Amino acid sequence: MGIMSWARGKSPWIAVLHAGGCNNCDIEVLDVLTPRFDVERLGVLWKQNPRHADILITNGCVSKHSKVFVKRIFDQMLAPKKVIALGTCACTGGIFVEGEGANIEETHTIVGGVDTAIPVDVYVPGCPPKPEAIIQGVALAIEKLKQSE
Amino acid sequence: MVKITAIKEALKALFKPATTKYPHGPPSHVPPGIRGLPQFKDDNCIGCGACAVCCSAKAISIEDKGKTRRLSIHYPRCIFCGRCEDICPEDGIALSDRFELAAYDKKEADVSIEFKLVRCKECNAVVSTKEHLAKVKERILENIDPRIVDEVAADLAKYENLCVDCRRKLSYQLNTHTQKYYSQRWET
Ligand code: SF4
Ligand code: SF4
Ligand code: SF4
């Protein structure tokens, strides 16, 4: 582990992206920033700018409209970048689509989970996940970030 | 009431930090009745599959292979709604308080339970699990008119290992057709 990845793991910057879904996961992310849970204990800086961020938290399922923007925002991030799929929608599409992987059944608006658009590193199931589950997801993403060069 | 709780919390925070230590310590507060990962109870579940039919996110799947039935909850799909717990006739599934489910890989994220499958002795189609059939039999004999219990029990034994189609096809041959009950006249 080089000094760069060590430093990155100590202070990752995070951006949140809402791709679709019902918005509840988005609100739960705000909880994580409150004094009770305070994810900034882990060295995280909440930076709503993908060009500066190391970790992208995506919530909600990807719709046909948002797919291109999710891809574009992911491409704007600098490597090494990690993606957290937050919530059941982002993990698999949840209640909005049926099937998974190759036999996923798109609806007329929803494509599926975030992994249909961009590669995902950490999955955090829950509808919405409890704030502690989100913190666990962030901790896992930081572990992965430390290992990448 | 809410205010009193809030004031209590605020006073406590004067002496002890309110911030949780998680992930380096235990979670701050796990309320009773929290909706976490649904889990099968090995002793109660009979493998009927009602939960898979009613699951709102299609997270529970039934897989019949050879002589085993496998019910599994793919929990990255689960929305923790609790419908499976509501609908289960045997109290065979319940939401636990497990919520720390984050993982690098979602492929192996399953909770499952296995059963021995009963297949039709005529056409080899799936009938159901042994436990399910036993339970159905028990329920029927419990609720049916006491005057025909013995007769119905004998009929049930005749088509125990037959699928629905074969039961219908063979109903005259085996003399299990329900017609004979309708034709009985009782004074009520
Ligand atoms: S996972 Fe549930 S809470 Fe989160 S966006 Fe989807 S529907 Fe809403
Ligand atoms: S007994 Fe309950 S948990 Fe088991 S398969 Fe039937 S509905 Fe599901
Ligand atoms: S809690 Fe709801 S979504 Fe999860 S397995 Fe049960 S019925 Fe399906």
Side-chain angles (χ1 to χ4, degrees):
Chain A
M1 188 165 55
I3 190 156
M4 283 291 279
S5 40
W6 172 79
R8 222 182 274 119
K10 285 284 175 196
S11 165
W13 292 12
I14 287 187
V16 180
L17 168 64
H18 178 62
C22 80
N23 217 176
N24 197 349
C25 285
D26 227 11
I27 290 163
E28 212 66 12
V29 169
L30 298 182
D31 276 3
V32 177
L33 294 171
T34 57
R36 163 76 81 184
F37 300 106
D38 197 16
V39 76
E40 295 185 346
R41 283 173 299 130
L42 305 180
V44 163
L45 180 65
W46 218 262
K47 196 82 186 170
Q48 271 302 22
N49 186 346
R51 286 173 200 264
H52 296 160
D54 301 300
I55 297 175
L56 183 70
I57 298 185
T58 47
N59 59 64
C61 40
V62 175
S63 64
K64 282 189 179 157
H65 279 274
S66 69
K67 189 171 182 179
V68 52
F69 298 109
V70 171
K71 264 189 198 153
R72 200 181 293 169
I73 285 170
F74 179 74
D75 290 341
Q76 283 174 357
M77 292 172 68
L78 300 179
K81 49 194 171 187
K82 298 291 165 229
V83 177
I84 300 177
L86 184 73
T88 299
C89 281
C91 289
T92 56
I95 43 172
F96 295 103
V97 290
E98 277 188 27
E100 222 183 313
N103 37 19
I104 199 159
E105 285 175 34
E106 289 183 9
T107 64
H108 65 291
T109 48
I110 306 292
V111 181
V114 170
D115 49 3
T116 54
I118 54 177
V120 174
D121 297 287
V122 180
Y123 294 91
V124 186
C127 187
K130 197 176 176 339
E132 268 111 350
I134 301 177
I135 296 175
Q136 191 204 5
V138 172
L140 288 184
I142 290 175
E143 278 308 310
K144 217 169 181 183
L145 198 62
K146 274 184 195 163
Q147 282 154 20
S148 57
E149 279 310 309
Chain B
M1 195 57 217
V2 176
K3 262 186 196 155
I4 294 172
T5 327
I7 291 169
K8 260 194 209 159
E9 282 279 313
L11 287 178
K12 249 195 241 164
L14 286 176
F15 305 103
K16 198 172 140 254
T19 310
T20 167
K21 294 238 170 20
Y22 196 82
H24 306 300
S28 61
H29 175 50
V30 182
I34 184 180
R35 290 181 179 180
L37 183 65
Q39 228 129 28
F40 292 112
K41 298 182 196 160
D42 292 350
D43 299 337
N44 291 0
C45 179
I46 51 172
C48 62
C51 49
V53 173
C54 84
C55 176
S56 33
K58 298 272 172 291
I60 307 181
S61 58
I62 313 174
E63 217 181 312
D64 292 336
K65 224 185 241 169
K67 280 215 178 292
T68 49
R69 163 171 287 185
R70 189 186 172 86
L71 280 160
S72 48
I73 308 173
H74 186 56
Y75 60 76
R77 287 199 72 82
C78 174
I79 58 163
F80 310 99
C81 59
R83 271 180 78 176
C84 45
E85 189 181 330
D86 273 358
I87 209 91
C88 178
E90 291 300 321
D91 189 24
I93 192 168
L95 300 190
S96 66
D97 58 1
R98 234 186 100 198
F99 60 86
E100 297 155 286
L101 304 170
Y104 291 129
D105 193 3
K106 66 172 179 179
K107 286 215 184 67
E108 298 297 315
D110 280 329
V111 186
S112 62
I113 187 167
E114 276 189 5
F115 290 94
K116 274 241 159 67
L117 206 56
V118 175
R119 283 188 175 267
C120 178
K121 63 184 173 194
E122 291 287 325
C123 67
N124 206 29
V126 172
V127 185
S128 191
T129 66
K130 226 169 153 186
E131 291 84 350
H132 184 203
L133 292 177
K135 210 70 190 184
V136 168
K137 193 171 175 180
E138 192 188 310
R139 286 274 163 82
I140 290 177
L141 296 182
E142 235 169 60
N143 293 315
I144 210 146
D145 194 303
R147 281 168 290 192
I148 53 170
V149 163
D150 296 335
E151 221 174 332
V152 171
D155 280 1
L156 282 175
K158 276 186 221 163
Y159 59 62
E160 207 157 26
N161 295 335
L162 290 176
C163 69
V164 180
D165 286 341
C166 294
R167 278 179 202 188
R168 203 180 53 229
K169 258 186 250 160
L170 300 176
S171 62
Y172 274 102
Q173 241 163 297
L174 299 173
N175 190 22
T176 54
H177 201 284
T178 46
Q179 206 183 32
K180 63 187 176 203
Y181 305 129
Y182 300 138
S183 59
Q184 292 190 16
R185 301 253 180 266
W186 294 320
E187 319 122 26
T188 44

